[in-house]
Amino acid sequence: MKLQDLLKHVDVVDIKGEDNIDVTGIFTDSRKSIEGSAFIALAGVQVDGHQYVDNALGLGAKIVIHQEEIDTTKTGITYIKVKDSADAAGKIATHWYGDPSSKLKLVGVTGTNGKTTTATLLYEMFRKLGYKAGLLSTVANYVDGKEYHATHTTPDPLSLNEMLAKMVDAGCDYAFMEVSSHAIHQKRISGLRFEGGVFTNLTQDHLDYHKTMEEYLKAKKMFFDNLPGTAFALTNIDDKNGLVMLQNTKAKKQTYSVRTLADFKAKILEKHFDGTAIEINGKELQVQFVGVFNVYNLLAVYGATVLLGQDSDKAMLILSTLKPVSGRFETIRSPEDFTAIVDYAHTPDALTNVLEAIHEVLNGKGRVITVVGCGGNRDKTKRPIMAREAVRLSDQVILTSDNPRYEEPQAIINDMADGLNSQQMKKTLLITEREQAIKTACTLAKAGDVILIAGKGHEDYQDVKGVKHHFDDREIVRNIFSI
C-alpha cells in the first residue's frame, strides 16, 4: 500500500522525504518493525515511542510517523510529523485493514460497570437471531464463534482493526465491543465507524489514570460526542450522568430506565437466585439473571437490538434464553446448602450492586460473607470505600489479596482496612492468601448463607510481581465443595 494513501485522513503537519512509496507494514511497537515498514511513535502513558525510533530504523523501518520533535536527518527515511500520533495510528490502521468497521454494524458499549455483560449478550443475541457476529470484550474476543485471547478491554488500533477485518472476512454482519475510557482518551477507536453506542453507568474507577471524576466523565462523553448522525446513542437515564452523554451527540437519542419513563422501560416483578421475573415495555418474561444491575444490562441489550432493526418479540424471546457471562454473579451451590457467588465486582458501585442483589433474594433469611480485595497499582482511593461497602452490606468480611501486581498484598489490605472503624473491624478478618480466605469463608458458612467472592470473576490467574500464576476463584470453590 502506498504511504500517501495511508495518510489521506491524517492531520499531517510536515513531510520530510518521499511519500509515494510502498509500505510493507505498520507498527507501534518498534521491536516488530520489518524492512520497508512504517513506525508510529506514540507518546504513551508509561512508554514514549519517540525514544524507540532508532530501534525501528535498525530493524528496517523506512517511515517514521511522529508528533514530537525528533532527529529527522537520516537519509533514505521518510519522516511524517502529525498533529496527533495516536489519532493518526487509528486512522492509518483503519485504512491499512480496509476500513473493516464500515463493512460491519459496529456497536460500542461504555460505562464503569456492565460493559462486558452488555456487549457479550448482544453478541449472543444476534447469533441466536441467525447472524454472524463478532465480539471484543474483557473476557474474550470472538469471530463468529471462534475465540481469540483478550489482553485488553479495548485493544490497540492495529489489533482492533485486525480483529474487525477477521470478522469481515468471516462474513460477520455485526460486531459488539467494550469501549474503555482509556481507549477513548488514547484514541484507540479513532477512525472506526459506529452504528450505535450504549452507556451503562458511571461510578468511581480508574482515578489512577484520569485523576478526577470530571476527566473520567469527559472521556466517556467523548465517545458519544463523536458518534455520527446515522448512529444511535442509547443511555441509562437512571444514572445521573446518563443524559450528559447525550448533550452534544449527533446520534439518535434513546433512553432506558427501571425507575422512570423511557424509550425502553423495565419493571421487576420477582427475584430469586435462579433468575428474575421482569416486564419490558409492558411484556412479561423470565430471565436467568439476578439483581437490578443485570436488569439494566438486559434492558440495554433489548434496546440496542430493537434499534438495530430487529423484531421486538423475537428479541424478547431470546432475552429469556440468555445466560450470565462467565464470572458475573456465577452461582455455585455447596452440598451443605449454602451458596457461593463469584463475581468480577472490583469497583465500589459494582460491589454494592452485587451485595444488594444478594440481600434482595435472601430477604433476611441467611447471612452474607464477603471475600474481597483490591488490585495493586490501580486507583488507591477506592480501597477504603470497597471495604466500607463490604462491611455495610455483609455479616462477615474477609479482606484478602486480589491481583497485587507490584505492590505488597498486605499493604493493599491495610489501605482497605484503614477505611474501617473499630466497630466495623470486629466483623472483619484480614487473610492475605486468597485461597485461605475463600476456605475460611466456606468454613464459616452455614445452611442458607451466601458467600460472595468478589474482584476476579472470570480471571484464571493472579498477577504477582509481573508474573501471572494460575488462580481461579471458581475452581477453588468447586474443589472445596468437591463438585
Side-chain angles (χ1 to χ4, degrees), residues 132-193:
K132 289 188 174 187
L135 172 69
L136 291 157
S137 82
T138 302
V139 177
N141 300 323
Y142 286 93
V143 176
D144 189 33
K146 184 177 180 180
E147 182 177 350
Y148 293 83
H149 180 63
T151 56
H152 292 79
T153 297
T154 310
D156 65 86
L158 295 171
S159 303
L160 183 50
N161 278 279
E162 182 181 14
M163 285 301 300
L164 292 172
K166 285 184 193 300
M167 293 175 195
V168 171
D169 291 343
C172 292
D173 304 291
Y174 294 88
F176 304 98
M177 66 179 286
E178 293 184 53
V179 181
S180 70
S181 57
H182 292 68
I184 299 166
H185 187 255
Q186 294 169 13
K187 300 176 182 173
R188 289 184 226 157
I189 57 171
S190 179
L192 299 187
R193 302 187 194 188

Side-chain angles (χ1 to χ4, degrees), residues 408-427:
E408 289 302 319
Q410 192 58 52
I412 299 170
I413 293 169
N414 291 343
D415 284 346
M416 297 182 77
D418 283 345
L420 306 177
N421 60 35
S422 57
Q423 195 63 33
Q424 292 168 320
M425 282 299 296
K426 287 180 181 178
K427 63 174 184 178

